[in-house]
Amino acid sequence: MDLSDLRSTRSRRAALALALAVAAVPAAGTAAPASAHGAAGAPAPDRPGVRAVLPAPTGPHAVGTFSTRLVDRSRPDPWVPSRPHRELMVSVWYPARAAGGHSLAPYMAAGAAARWGAAERHGIPLGAVDWAGMRTHAREGAPLEEAAAGPGHGGRLPVLVYSAGAGDPRTWGTSLTEEMASRGYVVVTVDHTYESPGVQFPDGSVTDDEPLRDALAQAGPEGMPQLLEKVLGVRVADDKFVLDRLTSLPHGVGDAVDTRRVGMFGQSAGGIAAAGTMYEDKRVRAGVNMDGTLEYNGEPNGTNLMPVARHGLDRPFLLMGRDGSDHTTEPSWGPFWKHSTGWKRDLTLRGARHQTYTDLAAVLPQAGVGRDVVEQNIGTVDPARATTAQRAYVTAFFDRWLRGRDGHLLDGPSPRFPEVRFVRP
C-alpha cells in the first residue's frame, strides 16, 4: 500500500505504505476487551468469505513453520514509551521433513485476522475473504530437514528476513516466503508492533496500530518527513534485533542457521527496510527491494533521501519495480543506483502495480471482484505469471549470492519471462 493510494488520489506511490491507510480502518477493540498489549481485534463478519488458496511452493522440500515472540530488553517501545521493552512477533519458515500429525498453519492468527478483516483492503471487499480460515502450505512445528543444507557450510542453512509494507501484516508475502523455504532457506517474517494493523501474541492479546494513527494525526503534512524517518528507523532497529536473535530461534532452527549467509527482502516499506538495514548492518550480504522508494517524503521527489540512497551499497542488491518505476524514473532509486558499488540489477514487471509484489496477486482474483478492480490493484499482468516471475528472480538472486549457485537468469532478459524487463544503466 502507499500513502498516495490511501489519500484516494492517483499520484505516485509515497515513501511508505503507512498510515493514511491506517486512518481508513476502524479502530480495533470493538468486540473484545483490551489486553496487556492492546485491543483484541474487530468482530468477524457474519458470513465468512472465500478461503483463498495461495500458489503451492515449487521447491524440493516440504515447508515447516512456527511463530515466536522476541523481546528486546535494550529499548523501550518507540511507539508506546510506557512499555519498557520492545516486543515483536515473528514467524519462521524452513525446509521440513514431511511428517504426519502436523497440521497446515493458518494464514493469520485468529485475532490478527479479525483485525485485518475489519475493513476493505487493497480492493478486497469487507468480508469477501475468510482470513482466519485460510491455510498456508506449511506444517506447524514440523521437524527441520537438516539435509536441505547440502554439502559444505557445516550443514547450516542460509537465512532471509522478510518485512511487509507499512500497514500490512508479516503474512502478506507468504507465497514468496514459502517458496524460499521450499528451496532450502530459513525465512523469518517480522511484524512491526503498533505499525501492523494487528499483531497477536502468545497470550492471545492483539496490538493494533492506534499509536501510529495518533502520530500521523499529530504530524500533519509538515511533520510527515520526520514521521517517515521514525517509522523506518524503528523498522531497521527491529530488523537488526531480529538478526541478533537468529541463533536463538527455537525448535533447533537457531542451531541450523548460517549467520554468514544472511539476506533481506521486502515489499514497499519492507523493501526500504531491507536497504536501510543492509546499509547499517554488514551482516546482511544481499537484499531485494520490491517497489519501495528510498526517501522520507510523502510524495517522492528526491529531495529528502535516505542515507542508503545518498551513499549506495557495496554488496549485491536487486531492485524490482512496478511498471513505469525504475532507477531512471524513481527519484530516489537514481541516486541509489549511481552510488552503489556492489553488484546490482533493476527489473520491472510489465503491467504490474505496487501490490503485485504481495499475496494480493493470488488472493484478489479469488475474492469475487471484477476485472477492473483486479487491474486497478495488481495491474494487467497475469497474476499467476507475476508470482512465478517473482519467485524465479528472487530465488536466482539469493542462490547466486548466498549459495554460489548461478543459473544465469540474472544475466539478461529471458524468453521464459517476457513480462520481466531488465532496466539498463
Side-chain angles (χ1 to χ4, degrees), residues 53-73:
V53 178
L54 299 179
T58 64
H61 305 289
V63 179
T65 189
F66 61 85
S67 295
T68 190
R69 168 177 168 262
L70 303 179
V71 182
D72 185 354
R73 300 189 183 279

Side-chain angles (χ1 to χ4, degrees), residues 399-416:
D399 276 358
R400 180 169 181 172
W401 296 110
L402 298 184
R403 310 189 86 152
R405 302 174 181 175
D406 188 0
H408 300 288
L409 183 63
L410 292 163
D411 289 351
S414 168
R416 292 170 50 206

